[in-house]
Amino acid sequence: MQSRDVTVIRYADDIVVLARSKRAAMRLLATSRTYLENKLRLKMNTQKSKVVSVVAQKHFKFLGFAMGKNGNGVYIRVHRQSLVKAKRRLKELTSRRQGRNARQVMENVKVYIRGWIGYFYVADMKRILQSWNEWLRRRLRMYIWKQWKKPRTKV
């Protein structure tokens, strides 16, 4: 496929073929499947293996990543579903009904975000992290405010 100048992404038994046209990509996926299964005697996961056109990369999702286009070309970003899942998890970690110390909640959030960024570090997500920073600060202020029971303390 390198001789045909076609990008192929392979992880375990998943294959994603990025070709100029859908028809060419389907043909390449079929030939790679026959090569893997007949010649190398490997199983290919047909549910996860897919064909993606270079032009229509909006629906491309692979291991939580997606591809985007801007004036400079194509770049890697975090897929929308991965962002929603991470924000849902952060919402659970900063829920006000936990009854935990605020420092413990901050530590749990820090551990989760460190692991999440460690996985998605190659993606372009500067603006997303800036907005999450503002959102998390507000959530933590809300958490501390809920723990202050007396009006004197709040003042």
Side-chain angles (χ1 to χ4, degrees):
M1 292 201 197
Q2 286 178 344
S3 64
R4 294 180 181 181
D5 197 29
V6 175
T7 306
V8 175
I9 303 169
R10 183 171 186 270
Y11 179 78
D13 58 349
D14 311 337
I15 294 177
V16 177
V17 179
L18 296 164
R20 286 182 173 74
S21 70
K22 189 166 185 164
R23 185 172 168 222
M26 291 289 280
R27 190 173 55 246
L28 288 169
L29 186 65
T31 57
S32 63
R33 180 179 181 182
T34 56
Y35 178 76
L36 285 172
E37 290 182 351
N38 296 339
K39 185 111 175 172
L40 299 179
R41 307 241 184 242
L42 297 172
K43 277 290 214 183
M44 188 172 97
N45 191 345
T46 55
Q47 283 102 14
K48 291 183 181 178
S49 300
K50 56 186 160 187
V51 172
V52 179
S53 174
V54 175
V55 179
Q57 293 172 345
K58 184 178 182 182
H59 304 291
F60 174 72
K61 180 185 177 198
F62 190 68
L63 300 175
F65 292 96
M67 298 182 83
K69 271 187 183 176
N70 61 10
N72 298 334
V74 179
Y75 64 95
I76 298 172
R77 62 180 174 82
V78 182
H79 195 269
R80 186 176 294 116
Q81 290 176 353
S82 301
L83 291 172
V84 168
K85 185 178 173 184
K87 197 155 185 181
R88 189 179 323 122
R89 177 74 175 130
L90 287 171
K91 206 169 190 177
E92 290 172 10
L93 288 173
T94 58
S95 172
R96 294 186 297 174
R97 53 190 162 88
Q98 295 181 49
R100 290 197 185 119
N101 186 356
R103 292 193 189 278
Q104 181 63 38
V105 171
M106 288 180 202
E107 184 66 28
N108 292 343
V109 167
K110 184 173 80 171
V111 167
Y112 179 75
I113 287 182
R114 188 180 295 153
W116 193 85
I117 289 175
Y119 181 76
F120 288 107
Y121 73 96
V122 295
D124 185 25
M125 58 184 168
K126 183 178 179 182
R127 288 187 188 146
I128 294 166
L129 291 179
Q130 286 173 346
S131 68
W132 278 12
N133 184 32
E134 297 166 4
W135 179 76
L136 273 173
R137 286 173 184 261
R138 186 184 64 78
R139 296 275 303 178
L140 292 172
R141 278 195 307 269
M142 186 176 66
Y143 191 87
I144 293 168
W145 186 260
K146 175 90 173 188
Q147 287 185 343
W148 291 345
K149 299 290 184 190
K150 297 180 181 176
R152 243 185 352 208
T153 311
K154 291 182 178 183
V155 169

